[in-house]
């Protein structure tokens, strides 16, 4: 009887981990999409800023968006670790609190740096893999977007100044 209960509990925890992971990924992808969409519509209308500085404005917005996405995943870790049986964070605590340790873990996972000073155990470890994949996707999406923006604005500025390569 206890074995059946344990199996049902672990199945529920796995479903909960899948649901939380899916929610975090969906929120971050939708946020990223909306920011890039807004930038694509807004940057051309900021005519009082030189074209080359519009690219810097885009970079700043994308950077802040990535930081926000990392914090979203960090809050996801913090919430997940608070649930009974979902897992925990193993490593030497920073002394700045569990939330900041979770955000730090999120920074090194999202960017796929993965120092290894923290290790996630339990069902929460699946979030690490999903976050790394999501981070890779969003960073490359941002790089593609910014490359297109640089082509638009840097070519426009060269055309106006009469310089050609």
């Amino acid at each position: 009887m206890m074995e059946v209960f344990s199996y049902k509990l672990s199945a529920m925890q796995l479903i909960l981990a899948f649901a939380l992971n899916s929610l975090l990924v969906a929120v971050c992808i939708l946020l990223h999409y909306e920011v890039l969409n807004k930038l694509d519509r807004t940057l051309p209308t900021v005519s009082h800023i030189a074209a080359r500085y519009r690219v810097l404005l885009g970079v700043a917005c994308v950077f802040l968006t990535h930081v926000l996405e990392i914090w979203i995943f960090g809050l996801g870790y913090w919430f997940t670790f608070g649930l009974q049986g979902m897992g925990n964070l193993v490593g030497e605590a920073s002394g700045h609190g569990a939330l900041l340790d979770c955000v730090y873990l999120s920074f090194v996972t999202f960017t796929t740096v993965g120092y290894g000073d923290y290790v996630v155990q339990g069902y929460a470890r699946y979030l690490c893999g999903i976050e790394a994949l999501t981070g890779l996707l969003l960073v490359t999406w941002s790089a593609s977007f910014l490359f297109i923006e640089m082509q638009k604005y840097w070519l426009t500025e060269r055309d106006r100044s009469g310089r050609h390569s």
Side-chain angles (χ1 to χ4, degrees), residues 70-91:
I70 288 166
W71 270 87
I72 289 169
F73 273 105
L75 288 169
Y77 286 116
W78 184 72
F79 176 77
T80 302
F81 294 147
L83 298 175
Q84 180 75 26
M86 290 299 288
N88 59 348
L89 190 58
V90 177

Side-chain angles (χ1 to χ4, degrees), residues 1-139:
M1 181 68 172
M2 186 64 142
E3 202 172 294
V4 171
F5 176 73
S6 175
Y7 175 74
K8 286 182 180 179
L9 181 61
S10 65
M12 288 301 295
Q13 289 170 324
L14 185 59
I15 291 169
L16 179 59
F18 178 77
L20 286 170
N21 292 349
S22 298
L23 176 66
L24 290 169
V25 168
V27 166
C28 287
I29 288 175
L30 288 173
L31 170 67
H32 207 80
Y33 171 81
E34 289 300 326
V35 168
L36 294 183
N37 187 32
K38 183 74 173 169
L39 277 173
D40 187 51
R41 289 183 284 125
T42 305
L43 286 177
T45 65
V46 188
S47 57
H48 64 280
I49 297 177
R52 59 187 277 160
Y53 295 119
R54 285 186 230 171
V55 173
L56 285 176
L57 181 62
V59 169
C61 289
V62 166
F63 177 80
L64 291 175
T65 302
H66 284 295
V67 171
L68 180 58
E69 291 158 353
I70 288 166
W71 270 87
I72 289 169
F73 273 105
L75 288 169
Y77 286 116
W78 184 72
F79 176 77
T80 302
F81 294 147
L83 298 175
Q84 180 75 26
M86 290 299 288
N88 59 348
L89 190 58
V90 177
E92 191 170 328
S94 67
H96 301 288
L99 177 59
L100 289 181
D101 288 340
C102 290
V103 172
Y104 169 77
L105 172 69
S106 183
F107 265 101
V108 298
T109 303
F110 188 91
T111 59
T112 66
V113 171
Y115 290 127
D117 50 349
Y118 283 115
V119 177
V120 176
Q121 293 181 336
Y123 290 105
R125 68 183 170 178
Y126 298 112
L127 182 53
C128 288
I130 292 295
E131 183 184 9
L133 183 60
T134 305
L136 180 64
L137 173 73
L138 297 181
V139 167

